[in-house]
Amino acid sequence: MSSTAKVIRPHIAPGRRVLAISDIHGNLPFFRGVLEKAKFSTRDVLILVGDLFEKGEESLNLLRHLMHLSQTHTVYPLCGNCDHLDVIFLEGRPGIDEALWPVFRTWDRRSLILQMGAELGLHPRGPEDLPQLRQAILEQMPREVAYLRSMAHILQAGRYIFVHGGIDREEDLESLPAYGCMKNDNFVGQNRRFSRWVVVGHWPVTLYRTDMPVARPWRKEDQHIVSIDGGCVLKVDGQLNALIIPDVNRDDMDYVAYDGLPVVTALEEQWPSQDSFNIRWSDSVVEVLEEQEDVCLCRHSSTGREMWILRDYLYTRQSDGLTHTEDATDYELPVKPGERLALVAQCSLGYLVKKDGVTGWYRGDIQRPPESGVN
């Protein structure tokens, strides 16, 4: 793959609806679910804004689903940093097997490359087995390999630029470093401003908020950036967002999301809490102060804030030996009787729920339908 960005500029007719989805991470049910909610059809254009594969147990099934979908619909897949690892593995660069083996081994059944190997009856035990696996994939899965190699890094159409990680300018896009377009952490936080709308994934939207976890697309009007990664697969309460653009020559946009969670009905009113806090992946070390059956009172190490956290969210990271937590919050949602809530978890302190892409606690009673729907 070229070291500079591959840019495509397809003609998208005025008034033709565009759906932009990023960071599917091999979650085929979520992908199907969000397309159904968006009523995706052959009249639409689908732009996949990178990290389509890896970290999900159906990465290979998703790849083949996208290959089939591309034959019947207008689909433009862009390469993300996770997809890039698969491409450079297939290229067989010197030293790449030793570099990528720890990553593939960590992902295990969630690795696209290892899923391909399993289908071919190959189960590598170390980097020394990867050359054989590469050769088998190249020889026996040429269509899958061609699809991976075909992905561009940037798509520009009308008022929009789509890229997985980010860009530092709108001009001369072909000269941008390819990897910098795919992996660009905290892109919104860099205070870059653009004349076109730059639609990115890569950095889950929830990482930008310190007060509460908000997973819906974040439209930054002053910067002309839309961040759409809803944390699918990576977050316990993650969702897959589809940004809906009715016309690439206009600025209006909407979204739908799918999270696969059961839906319940709130029976009591609740007011939002004040001064809430959100512990995020980038700063997740905690100290356990008190333990109960299903929750623990924890102190956030860097801020000193204390909150009750689901016991299942706590884990010890091997790299530092410290206690970390999945993204956690003490925010209590505003809720009115009769509102539908997506149920994340239930514990002795109440219900962890989602409403309009925002995760928080609900302390009231709920009603479950006989057969709960999903959000």
Side-chain angles (χ1 to χ4, degrees):
M1 179 175 286
S2 171
S3 60
T4 55
K6 177 181 177 182
V7 184
I8 57 175
R9 295 180 175 86
H11 173 69
I12 300 176
R16 192 174 184 190
R17 192 175 71 146
V18 170
L19 273 62
I21 301 173
S22 80
D23 297 88
I24 307 169
H25 285 297
N27 194 327
L28 183 54
F30 275 40
F31 180 64
R32 285 175 166 154
V34 79
L35 288 187
E36 182 178 352
K37 289 190 73 172
K39 297 180 171 57
F40 177 61
S41 75
T42 55
R43 298 185 299 273
D44 301 321
V45 175
L46 178 60
I47 301 176
L48 303 171
V49 194
D51 275 9
L52 316 181
F53 315 114
E54 299 298 358
K55 303 182 181 180
E57 295 192 6
E58 291 199 59
S59 288
L60 181 54
N61 289 337
L62 175 66
L63 171 57
R64 288 174 172 153
H65 182 73
L66 295 179
M67 292 167 60
H68 176 75
L69 196 66
S70 297
Q71 297 176 0
T72 58
H73 295 68
T74 304
V75 184
Y76 296 104
L78 301 180
C79 193
N81 56 295
C82 288
D83 312 314
H84 174 69
L85 298 183
D86 301 326
V87 175
I88 61 175
F89 167 76
L90 294 171
E91 289 178 351
R93 299 179 183 182
I96 200 65
D97 294 338
E98 290 75 15
L100 290 183
W101 171 248
V103 180
F104 293 154
R105 181 181 59 187
T106 298
W107 290 342
D108 194 26
R109 292 182 305 174
R110 299 175 291 118
S111 163
L112 171 61
I113 294 300
L114 296 188
Q115 288 174 24
M116 297 169 104
E119 185 172 290
L120 298 174
L122 297 175
H123 304 277
R125 297 184 177 180
E128 66 278 2
D129 296 330
L130 293 183
Q132 179 189 7
L133 173 58
R134 178 186 302 107
Q135 190 63 30
I137 293 173
L138 293 173
E139 292 177 355
Q140 300 182 52
M141 296 182 172
R143 293 180 62 249
E144 290 83 352
V145 171
Y147 189 92
L148 290 170
R149 287 175 168 171
S150 73
M151 293 189 291
H153 303 110
I154 300 172
L155 186 150
Q156 181 178 335
R159 300 268 303 128
Y160 295 82
I161 295 173
F162 302 86
V163 58
H164 180 66
I167 53 177
D168 59 18
R169 62 178 182 273
E170 298 174 66
E171 303 77 23
D172 196 19
L173 295 174
E174 282 83 356
S175 69
L176 289 172
Y179 193 68
C181 295
M182 293 181 281
K183 183 172 173 58
N184 194 323
D185 295 350
N186 191 28
F187 181 60
V188 177
Q190 297 169 20
N191 293 319
R192 301 186 185 277
R193 285 166 171 76
F194 303 93
S195 60
R196 295 180 177 87
W197 287 102
V198 179
V199 179
V200 298
H202 180 61
W203 193 252
V205 181
T206 56
L207 297 183
Y208 287 113
R209 295 285 296 261
T210 59
D211 54 346
M212 66 185 75
V214 182
R216 59 178 180 253
W218 189 21
R219 172 172 159 152
K220 283 283 288 173
E221 300 279 354
D222 58 330
Q223 297 176 256
H224 266 207
I225 296 174
V226 188
S227 184
I228 66 172
D229 178 4
C232 174
V233 173
L234 305 184
K235 309 295 180 184
V236 176
D237 52 350
Q239 63 189 45
L240 189 60
N241 295 318
L243 185 71
I244 300 174
I245 303 168
D247 189 323
V248 292
N249 299 302
R250 292 163 32 193
D251 290 355
D252 53 311
M253 59 192 81
D254 199 356
Y255 86 100
V256 295
Y258 183 88
D259 60 19
L261 295 170
V263 176
V264 298
T265 302
L267 299 179
E268 301 176 55
E269 187 172 17
Q270 175 174 282
W271 294 95
S273 58
Q274 303 298 315
D275 190 32
S276 60
F277 188 61
N278 177 34
I279 300 178
R280 301 160 295 161
W281 164 83
S282 52
D283 185 16
S284 60
V285 178
V286 296
E287 175 190 358
V288 176
L289 304 176
E290 181 182 337
E291 299 186 37
Q292 294 189 7
E293 182 178 357
D294 52 7
V295 291
C296 295
L297 180 61
C298 299
R299 178 184 294 120
H300 186 227
S301 296
S302 67
T303 65
R305 292 286 297 256
E306 296 181 7
M307 71 169 69
W308 290 96
I309 297 176
L310 290 164
R311 180 185 288 273
D312 291 344
Y313 277 27
L314 301 174
Y315 64 96
T316 301
R317 188 176 292 175
Q318 291 184 350
S319 61
D320 58 19
L322 300 175
T323 301
H324 291 255
T325 179
E326 301 288 349
D327 291 11
T329 186
D330 58 3
Y331 178 59
E332 296 182 353
L333 284 163
V335 177
K336 294 182 179 179
E339 283 192 312
R340 289 163 58 84
L341 307 171
L343 180 61
V344 179
Q346 177 180 354
C347 70
S348 56
L349 298 182
Y351 302 94
L352 188 62
V353 297
K354 285 177 65 184
K355 173 186 168 184
D356 299 328
V358 182
T359 298
W361 289 95
Y362 177 62
R363 312 298 184 184
D365 289 333
I366 63 170
Q367 181 181 11
R368 302 173 189 259
E371 294 184 3
S372 295
V374 294
N375 191 32

